[in-house]
Amino acid sequence: MSLEALNERVKTDLSYLAYGGPNWVRPLNHPDGHVYDVVIVGGGQSGLGAAFGLLRERVSNILVIDENSEGLEGPWETYARMVTLRTPKHLTSIDLGIPSLTFRSWWEAQVGLEGWEALVKIPRGDWMNYLRWYRKILNLPVINEVKLKLIEPAEGGIHGLHVEGAGISSSPLLARKVILATGIQGGGEWHVPPLIADNLPRHLYAHTSEAIDFEALKGKKVAVLGGGASAFDNANFALSEGVAEAHVFVRRKEIPRINPIRQMEVSGMIEHFPALSDADKYAAIAHFFKHNQPPTNDTFERAASWPGFNVHLNAPWLDVEAIGEGALVTTPQGTYHFDFLIISTGLLTDPALRPELRLIETHIARWGDRYKAPEELANPVLDAHPYLSPGFAFLSRTEEGQKQLDGLFTFSYSALISCGISASALSGMRYGIPKLVTTVTDQLFLDDREEILKNFFAYRDTEFIGEWTKRG
């Protein structure tokens, strides 16, 4: 099958499902302009999947905005540096159960069944190409180069989205519901330890989430701080780009070996995680954080094959110091000199760190507000996560604050404790998106409950027109 034939099959499959039927949501007029039923912030895989889910439910007055240029949404061709995705190739995600929309269908349309069988893992660049195709074939309403600056609650259940960028001509956008599909960093910020940020000039280090000029680092010696998958991805990438030496520093005594996601994928934990008690949710994610995500075997083998690769175990950084054109790093094993430091220390999740939420973040309930963890598990990093409904809606610390938060959802990494990995990993999106869409559409329906019921009770259109004539 060619890609052109697959495109036709997608259209046929969707027509069989009556995709694109009439929008059922009552239009809302506003003196300040058009009101969208839903605005999705983020045009990566989460935002695209959420948009398709809403369109399937005949909610078509929607808009997706993304701050990046078209085709560069998400991390895949910006700061992601793994060779392949870490997810097994057979897992489905944003296709939402439509076989012709799966990555496998897209891949086989170009290389055939044998090509699929030969594929071990999905190449990172090909995943981005699949997302571009998915957006195009579904004709999703995405506007690029639009950055959300502020969410401002307004009267009548409306939210004003103050935006800026080349892709938009007016601000604010008005929306009844807002979905923050802002990825791994969208619930907080990338974390650089103060030991580094306070002691080194900015040109000597970069977080793995940032653009790095590897061309300028050719022949140089770099250090990577962190023991998770991203640290090894970046070390391998740096060496492949001509860096002479890449040293990975891991504070643990050994490299993480267990990936809890693999167990969650087959045990029912991903799809049914929201049904757990708060105590079970907190304990499960505390365990998840404890193990971290290890490097894939193929990434580690690639990195280890380079003569300039090295791993330092049980080696937390005790001190860093700028010296000459580089940096000195002190560990329990000694002091090392590097030309550049790559920081792979993850992120912090807290609504207070998001500037677009500054008018409402004080109302947002955190896990620390709703659940007191036992001493052996308690973790302020977990406690700062927002406490969400099973459908990814923000909840308020107080009853009066809920009015400010009604209609706001976060389908991002910040949902991890409340909803599991359903919004933060490809493995979970096939389960998370339907829950999100159901909750959003339920809210839209109940917002208009009185009008909908009034129209229902007043409905008098005649359908049956037959007449019975008595016989004999």
Side-chain angles (χ1 to χ4, degrees):
M1 176 185 290
S2 66
L3 193 56
E4 292 75 16
L6 176 62
N7 292 344
E8 291 304 313
R9 195 175 96 188
V10 170
K11 294 174 184 177
T12 300
D13 287 348
L14 293 178
S15 72
Y16 287 173
L17 297 172
Y19 177 75
N23 186 37
W24 58 265
V25 185
R26 183 174 64 93
L28 192 61
N29 296 318
H30 196 280
D32 292 335
H34 180 77
V35 179
Y36 291 97
D37 292 327
V38 185
V39 169
I40 300 169
V41 182
Q45 59 196 22
S46 297
L48 297 179
F52 177 46
L54 288 167
L55 290 170
R56 282 190 67 179
E57 296 301 316
R58 296 189 294 114
V59 178
S60 56
N61 179 27
I62 67 174
L63 181 68
V64 183
I65 60 174
D66 193 280
E67 63 185 310
N68 300 292
S69 301
E70 183 172 347
L72 294 178
E73 304 85 1
W76 308 113
E77 294 198 357
T78 52
Y79 64 85
R81 300 186 177 104
M82 70 281 278
V83 175
T84 65
L85 303 194
R86 303 178 190 125
T87 311
K89 70 175 185 178
H90 62 271
L91 289 178
T92 57
S93 57
I94 58 174
D95 53 87
L96 302 186
I98 310 298
S100 56
L101 278 175
T102 60
F103 176 86
R104 176 175 179 173
S105 288
W106 178 82
W107 186 262
E108 284 190 6
Q110 298 166 92
V111 299
L113 177 59
E114 290 184 359
W116 171 257
E117 297 295 341
L119 181 67
V120 178
K121 288 184 178 178
I122 298 172
R124 171 171 53 86
D126 287 305
W127 179 253
M128 187 66 231
N129 286 332
Y130 164 71
L131 294 177
R132 293 173 179 135
W133 170 80
Y134 178 97
R135 167 180 170 175
K136 183 177 180 181
I137 194 64
L138 292 173
N139 193 28
L140 299 177
V142 185
I143 299 180
N144 288 89
E145 299 181 51
V146 179
K147 182 177 178 63
L148 174 64
K149 304 296 289 185
L150 181 68
I151 297 176
E152 182 180 13
E155 294 297 323
I158 302 297
H159 297 281
L161 305 185
H162 296 265
V163 296
E164 66 177 22
I168 200 75
S169 58
S170 62
S171 180
L173 298 172
L174 303 179
R176 298 175 68 177
K177 311 297 172 188
V178 180
I179 299 172
L180 300 174
T182 41
I184 189 171
Q185 78 278 19
E189 65 182 16
W190 295 106
H191 177 57
V192 176
L195 174 73
I196 298 160
D198 295 345
N199 291 317
L200 290 181
R202 198 63 182 85
H203 70 276
L204 287 181
Y205 71 91
H207 194 277
T208 53
S209 65
E210 299 176 294
I212 299 175
D213 185 2
F214 286 100
E215 181 68 25
L217 296 176
K218 282 187 174 181
K220 302 291 182 66
K221 185 178 178 182
V222 304
V224 183
L225 176 61
S230 181
F232 290 89
D233 290 338
N234 276 266
N236 178 67
F237 187 88
L239 290 162
S240 70
E241 292 292 301
V243 166
E245 295 182 34
H247 294 244
V248 176
F249 288 83
V250 184
R251 70 174 183 271
R252 305 173 191 233
K253 293 182 180 179
E254 62 177 35
I255 300 170
R257 296 184 179 278
I258 299 170
N259 187 347
I261 294 178
R262 298 291 88 86
Q263 194 277 341
M264 297 170 82
E265 288 167 348
V266 298
S267 65
M269 273 194 69
I270 295 179
E271 52 265 52
H272 300 293
F273 188 92
L276 292 173
S277 68
D278 284 356
D280 286 340
K281 288 179 180 179
Y282 196 99
I285 300 305
H287 179 79
F288 182 85
F289 275 32
K290 176 182 176 182
H291 281 285
N292 205 342
Q293 189 171 13
T296 59
N297 290 310
D298 52 312
T299 293
F300 182 79
E301 290 168 3
R302 287 188 192 99
S305 69
W306 297 98
F309 177 73
N310 208 325
V311 178
H312 304 263
L313 299 175
N314 199 21
W317 289 5
L318 306 177
D319 190 30
V320 295
E321 177 187 357
I323 181 167
E325 296 298 317
L328 284 180
V329 173
T330 301
T331 77
Q333 285 82 36
T335 299
Y336 306 83
H337 181 269
F338 295 102
D339 299 296
F340 193 75
L341 310 181
I342 298 175
I343 313 304
S344 183
T345 47
L347 72 158
L348 297 175
T349 296
D350 186 342
L353 299 173
R354 301 305 307 173
E356 67 272 14
L357 299 178
R358 63 183 180 272
L359 295 182
I360 54 176
E361 67 85 13
T362 55
H363 298 301
I364 296 173
R366 271 65 157 190
W367 266 82
D369 299 320
R370 299 292 184 92
Y371 176 71
K372 183 172 177 56
E375 185 176 346
E376 66 273 15
L377 290 179
N379 184 336
V381 174
L382 272 66
D383 292 341
H385 282 65
Y387 187 96
L388 307 173
S389 81
F392 304 92
F394 283 119
L395 300 175
S396 178
R397 285 168 161 156
T398 62
E399 186 175 342
E400 58 267 25
Q402 189 59 48
K403 186 177 180 181
Q404 304 288 305
L405 300 179
D406 279 344
L408 299 180
F409 302 80
T410 179
F411 193 68
S412 70
Y413 200 80
S414 63
L416 184 62
I417 307 178
S418 297
C419 304
I421 65 170
S422 51
S424 56
L426 279 175
S427 309
M429 287 189 182
R430 61 183 293 194
Y431 308 110
I433 291 173
K435 287 186 173 72
L436 170 71
V437 169
T438 296
T439 307
V440 172
T441 54
D442 278 352
Q443 280 196 16
L444 288 168
F445 178 83
L446 292 175
D447 287 347
D448 293 341
R449 177 184 61 85
E450 292 184 7
E451 185 71 17
I452 290 171
L453 288 176
K454 183 182 77 172
N455 292 337
F456 171 72
F457 293 133
Y459 181 76
R460 294 292 182 270
D461 288 6
T462 299
E463 179 173 327
F464 176 68
I465 59 173
E467 296 287 346
W468 171 251
T469 303
K470 188 176 180 180
R471 296 174 182 168

